[in-house]
Amino acid sequence: MPDALMPAATWLLEVNNLSCGYGGDSVVKDVNFALSHGDIGCLLGPSGCGKSTILRALAGFLPLNAGEIQLQSQAISLPGRTLAPEKRRIGMVFQDYALFPHLSIAENVGFGLNALKKAERRQKVMELLNLVHLQDLADSYPHELSGGQQQRVALARALAPEPTLILLDEPFSNLDTDLRRRLSLDVRDILKTLGISAILVTHDQQEAFAMCDQVAVLKDGRLQQWDVPYNLYHEPANRFVASFVGQGGFIPGTALGPDTIDSELGVLHGNRAYKWQPGTLLDVLIRPDDIIYDADSSLKPKVVEKTFAGTSTLYRFRCSEDTEFEALFRSHLDFHMGEYVPVRVEADHLIAFERV
């Protein structure tokens, strides 16, 4: 739920108890989140979790079974009442670009600006093409552009009517890894420059964290956590978020106190107090960046797997049949399969859950 202490006027978008789906069935249930003016939010989760369903509801393509969507304090969706998509001042950037092949790039961008005089429309179009660094391609056609360039055109077209909110439906998924990383940061810079809020749908965590201010993690149509990327990684609300976000794995442990755990990696001290009773059996999340190489450590697990990645190497270590974990070291520390490596745990944010 939006923070009750925050004045409602500061929210651009509010989603309250949203439930919607297809054929009368609710794919998404009881979803709540709010987005501030100028922020970029993200709907993140595995396939089939309800990301695109929520986006369709925000766009006005899908009616609500329950709940409410507000934009600038105006209800735009309620059960039985849905403001038409074209009246929402919401822009949409699709996965497949959806450009008109028979129109030039300038004509594509200016498609929704027919109310302007020809000279004003041309000036607006060129300003937007300059913003997305395509001003020299105004008279070209979509088939003459690369995928990244076509996506920039789609963004410029969505920005042309000066929307209050932009919806981005996996807009970079058709691009190669390097291009999608660069383009996602470019799009973020453009939106931030214009002060336009956006909601991105993606399954790519790196993309979500690099581009967005707030991220919603979804599972089976329910919101698990709406938070800043840092908190999703270091302070996950539940076991699913802990497992889904970032890398890492669970090792067995036993509670010694509210913030202290005994494990095969030693006694671990947390940064927060839990409500465990001493002796409670736990699963402790160990991230690759929680493990530090320490030549003086008596803890020496065995290397059972390694993945070289240029500047770093990801190792999988084994202490016993029940205790395996990963560590990310700079690649100059080159250990071999079967080697016993001295390490220690330095987990500033200790994450654990009762064993089930």
Side-chain angles (χ1 to χ4, degrees):
M1 288 292 289
D3 190 339
L5 298 178
M6 193 169 187
T10 64
W11 299 121
L12 173 76
L13 174 70
E14 291 182 78
V15 175
N16 299 313
N17 303 313
L18 181 147
S19 295
C20 59
Y22 309 93
D25 295 327
S26 289
V27 174
V28 172
K29 299 177 182 178
D30 301 321
V31 169
N32 294 275
F33 64 87
L35 188 71
S36 298
H37 289 266
D39 275 0
I40 302 173
C42 176
L43 305 177
L44 175 69
S47 298
C49 70
K51 304 185 297 291
S52 294
T53 300
I54 295 174
L55 203 73
R56 288 175 58 82
L58 294 175
F61 301 148
L62 195 64
L64 304 190
N65 296 336
E68 178 185 42
I69 299 173
Q70 286 194 12
L71 186 64
Q72 291 186 310
S73 301
Q74 176 192 0
I76 58 174
S77 286
L78 291 164
R81 181 164 66 88
T82 303
L83 186 67
E86 65 272 14
K87 296 181 179 180
R88 295 186 171 217
R89 291 198 63 192
I90 292 178
M92 189 88 179
V93 179
F94 297 95
Q95 180 178 346
D96 59 358
Y97 320 135
L99 301 179
F100 301 111
H102 62 289
L103 299 181
S104 70
I105 298 311
E107 290 169 335
N108 264 281
V109 174
F111 184 78
L113 301 178
N114 292 330
L116 298 180
K117 294 180 180 179
K118 185 175 181 180
E120 293 176 336
R121 184 165 66 249
R122 181 69 180 182
Q123 180 180 353
K124 179 73 171 178
V125 167
M126 292 310 297
E127 287 175 356
L128 288 165
L129 288 178
N130 185 65
L131 186 67
V132 298
H133 309 298
L134 294 175
Q135 61 272 21
D136 295 334
L137 297 174
D139 298 322
S140 300
Y141 286 82
H143 72 273
E144 299 177 289
L145 273 59
S146 67
Q149 290 171 327
Q150 290 185 49
Q151 194 56 278
R152 290 176 187 271
V153 176
L155 176 63
R157 184 179 62 183
L159 292 170
E162 299 181 359
T164 303
L165 178 71
I166 290 280
L167 304 179
L168 304 156
D169 188 9
E170 300 212 44
F172 314 117
S173 61
N174 293 332
L175 307 176
D176 64 65
T177 302
D178 287 340
L179 179 57
R180 69 184 293 166
R181 185 180 300 113
R182 283 187 279 114
L183 187 55
S184 65
L185 294 177
D186 286 347
V187 169
R188 174 184 168 84
D189 289 344
I190 290 168
L191 293 174
K192 289 295 184 181
T193 297
L194 297 175
I196 293 180
S197 299
I199 295 287
L200 167 73
V201 163
T202 185
H203 61 272
D204 187 317
Q205 293 182 36
Q206 288 187 338
E207 185 174 280
F209 288 179
M211 187 173 173
C212 300
D213 302 293
Q214 301 275 333
V215 177
V217 177
L218 295 152
K219 178 191 177 188
D220 298 334
R222 293 188 181 273
L223 180 64
Q224 305 298 306
Q225 188 170 352
W226 169 259
D227 217 326
V228 297
Y230 183 91
N231 287 345
L232 291 176
Y233 187 86
H234 290 296
E235 301 290 346
N238 57 41
R239 189 184 181 110
F240 174 78
V241 176
S243 300
F244 182 76
V245 172
Q247 292 177 284
F250 290 96
I251 67 168
T254 304
L256 299 179
D259 61 354
T260 307
I261 301 170
D262 186 28
S263 77
E264 202 167 345
L265 304 187
V267 176
L268 309 177
H269 298 280
N271 62 313
R272 58 179 175 175
Y274 292 89
K275 296 181 180 179
W276 305 311
Q277 295 296 319
T280 302
L281 299 181
L282 304 172
D283 288 324
V284 186
L285 180 66
I286 299 296
R287 303 279 197 196
D289 51 320
D290 292 333
I291 304 298
I292 307 296
Y293 172 73
D294 184 352
D296 297 324
S297 175
S298 60
L299 175 64
K300 296 181 180 180
K302 179 181 179 181
V303 176
V304 294
E305 188 177 299
K306 62 182 292 188
T307 305
F308 181 73
T311 59
S312 61
T313 302
L314 181 67
Y315 292 92
R316 174 167 287 276
F317 290 107
R318 178 180 295 154
C319 289
S320 68
E321 186 175 336
D322 294 328
T323 304
E324 289 191 2
F325 57 93
E326 293 179 324
L328 191 66
F329 297 151
R330 58 190 180 92
S331 62
H332 297 290
L333 292 172
D334 187 24
F335 305 113
H336 305 292
M337 295 290 292
E339 187 174 350
Y340 292 87
V341 179
V343 300
R344 61 183 170 84
V345 181
E346 194 172 280
D348 293 334
H349 295 79
L350 188 59
I351 301 163
F353 302 92
E354 285 196 45
R355 196 174 307 164
V356 293

